[in-house]
Amino acid sequence: EAQVTQNPRYLITVTGKKLTVTCSQNMNHEYMSWYRQDPGLGLRQIYYSMNVEVTDKGDVPEGYKVSRKEKRNFPLILESPSPNQTSLYFCASSPYPGDSNEQFFGPGTRLTVL
Amino acid sequence: GESVGLHLPTLSVQEGDNSIINCAYSNSASDYFIWYKQESGKGPQFIIDIRSNMDKRQGQRVTVLLNKTVKHLSLQIAATQPGDSAVYFCAERRPGGYQKVTFGIGTKLQVIP
């Protein structure tokens, strides 16, 4: 089944404890993105990647890191999480631009930072 | 999840009626506009997109209208069904890259059986 998977789905952590949220897609997509979703703010793009070893900042990159060492994986790293990073996080992938702008989203990771 | 639906504009529609969800966008230079549907507890799901040089595009039971003069986008859903209950997001693809997408805050659609 073609899909985007994220792990973990739920995570409660404490301020300053480094964490990684994994994202993997099995559709051989070039493009991948990370978004955070907060009530009243919609989805905001954190980082995106156009291919292996090519990443760029989105609208809210502060406090996050990403890497794209393999095409299928795009982990999101929080080196020193803070309570304002409590949010619902989505990873998405999409093929090389063609006739559609469709992004395929993962199921989400709900992160709570205490 | 449920917290995503808080503070959202809500549209309640009777089953079988048509729904119209509106969206205002900000960037005149955006080249594509996209609609997503998000059901409770799930990630957003692509519905339809429209290029900025078009004013109407139809899909299966959905129509998107674009009015660039007033920077307005709408999604029309024909014969609304209970399965259409979700949060709907419009998004604009900004200039400067295929992946530069800005989402709106969303509208919650409630279908009354």
Side-chain angles (χ1 to χ4, degrees):
Chain A
E1 180 190 356
Q3 60 182 346
V4 178
T5 56
Q6 296 178 226
N7 281 292
R9 294 289 314 278
Y10 302 90
L11 179 60
I12 300 174
T13 189
V14 295
T15 298
K17 186 177 181 182
K18 181 180 178 179
L19 67 93
T20 300
V21 183
T22 65
C23 173
S24 183
Q25 51 96 2
N26 61 2
M27 295 169 278
N28 201 36
H29 287 165
E30 284 79 10
Y31 290 81
M32 298 185 75
S33 288
W34 274 103
Y35 294 88
R36 60 177 289 173
Q37 186 174 36
D38 303 288
L41 296 175
L43 288 105
R44 292 179 294 168
Q45 192 176 49
I46 303 170
Y47 268 95
Y48 63 95
S49 169
M50 292 163 284
N51 214 323
V52 174
E53 303 291 2
V54 183
T55 63
D56 206 351
K57 296 177 181 178
D59 297 317
V60 288
E62 293 77 20
Y64 304 94
K65 285 175 57 178
V66 292
S67 69
R68 187 93 181 272
K69 293 183 168 54
E70 305 166 282
K71 196 173 187 179
R72 64 183 293 129
N73 296 323
F74 191 43
L76 179 69
I77 303 153
L78 285 72
E79 295 271 3
S80 183
S82 61
N84 65 10
Q85 293 179 298
T86 292
S87 188
L88 180 58
Y89 290 87
F90 288 100
C91 180
S93 74
S94 51
Y96 190 80
D99 294 331
S100 170
N101 286 278
E102 180 171 5
Q103 292 190 67
F104 296 82
F105 283 82
T109 295
R110 186 167 292 281
L111 172 65
T112 302
V113 183
L114 302 174
Chain B
E2 293 81 337
S3 65
V4 169
L6 295 176
H7 318 300
L8 287 178
T10 299
L11 174 67
S12 296
V13 174
Q14 204 74 34
E15 181 179 356
D17 287 351
N18 296 337
S19 303
I20 301 175
I21 301 170
N22 296 305
C23 175
Y25 65 90
S26 58
N27 194 331
S28 301
S30 293
D31 59 354
Y32 274 92
F33 302 90
I34 310 141
W35 282 99
Y36 281 88
K37 171 186 180 183
Q38 186 178 25
E39 297 175 19
S40 182
K42 295 184 179 180
Q45 183 179 13
F46 175 88
I47 303 173
I48 191 168
D49 63 359
I50 185 169
R51 194 169 179 171
S52 60
N53 62 354
M54 301 171 66
D55 52 21
K56 181 179 180 179
R57 190 175 187 200
Q58 289 184 292
Q60 188 175 11
R61 255 193 337 114
V62 296
T63 301
V64 57
L65 300 178
L66 175 62
N67 185 332
K68 292 182 287 295
T69 303
V70 294
K71 295 186 194 173
H72 184 267
L73 189 66
S74 69
L75 178 72
Q76 300 178 1
I77 304 173
T80 311
Q81 302 166 359
D84 295 326
S85 292
V87 176
Y88 289 80
F89 293 95
C90 66
E92 54 184 306
R93 196 178 93 177
R94 310 189 305 274
Y98 174 69
Q99 287 285 279
K100 289 187 180 292
V101 178
T102 300
F103 284 78
I105 66 166
T107 297
K108 188 173 185 178
L109 176 65
Q110 292 180 329
V111 181
I112 304 163

